[in-house]
């Protein structure tokens, strides 16, 4: 837990960038790097506070549409709790 807090502090102090927001998203919803990089605008539903993880970015082949590493499902919905 101490490592998580140190990482959070370090990332929070960083300049606003796509890397900062990707890291924070990975930390808070438990998504993998390739899943975050596979997200499209249509995967984020702010009205219902959900993010749909239904694909991943295959950075070795530089393409989207690789099936994410999820058990037997092809999609996972992350419900966001907004304070």
């Amino acid at each position: 837990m101490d490592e998580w807090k140190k990482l959070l502090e370090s990332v929070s102090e960083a300049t606003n960038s796509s890397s900062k927001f990707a890291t924070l998203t990975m930390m808070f919803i438990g998504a993998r790097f390739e899943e975050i990089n596979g997200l499209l605008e249509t995967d984020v539903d702010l009205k219902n506070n959900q993010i749909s993880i239904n694909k991943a970015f295959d950075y070795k082949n530089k393409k989207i549409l690789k099936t994410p590493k999820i058990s037997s499902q092809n999609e996972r919905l992350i419900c966001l709790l907004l304070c």
Side-chain angles (χ1 to χ4, degrees):
M1 191 64 157
D2 289 336
E3 293 172 353
W4 195 89
K5 287 180 182 178
K6 288 178 186 176
L7 179 59
L8 179 59
E9 286 175 14
S10 178
V11 170
S12 296
E13 293 171 0
T15 306
N16 287 345
S17 68
S18 58
S19 297
K20 174 182 179 173
F21 297 116
T23 302
L24 289 171
T25 304
M26 287 186 288
M27 289 176 70
F28 283 99
I29 70 170
R32 295 171 180 86
F33 174 78
E34 57 188 17
E35 293 171 338
I36 294 299
N37 285 308
L39 286 175
L40 301 175
E41 187 176 344
T42 54
D43 296 325
V44 180
D45 181 355
L46 295 176
K47 182 178 179 183
N48 294 308
N49 297 325
Q50 293 181 336
I51 296 176
S52 175
I53 306 288
N54 54 26
K55 64 190 136 330
F57 183 76
D58 183 354
Y59 52 92
K60 291 180 183 176
N61 296 313
K62 299 188 190 296
K63 64 180 180 180
I64 290 185
L65 298 179
K66 176 183 168 192
T67 304
K69 294 179 183 176
I70 335 175
S71 54
S72 62
Q73 304 170 354
N74 289 331
E75 180 175 17
R76 147 176 113 209
L77 287 177
I78 307 295
C79 295
L80 306 174
L81 300 176
L82 302 176
C83 300

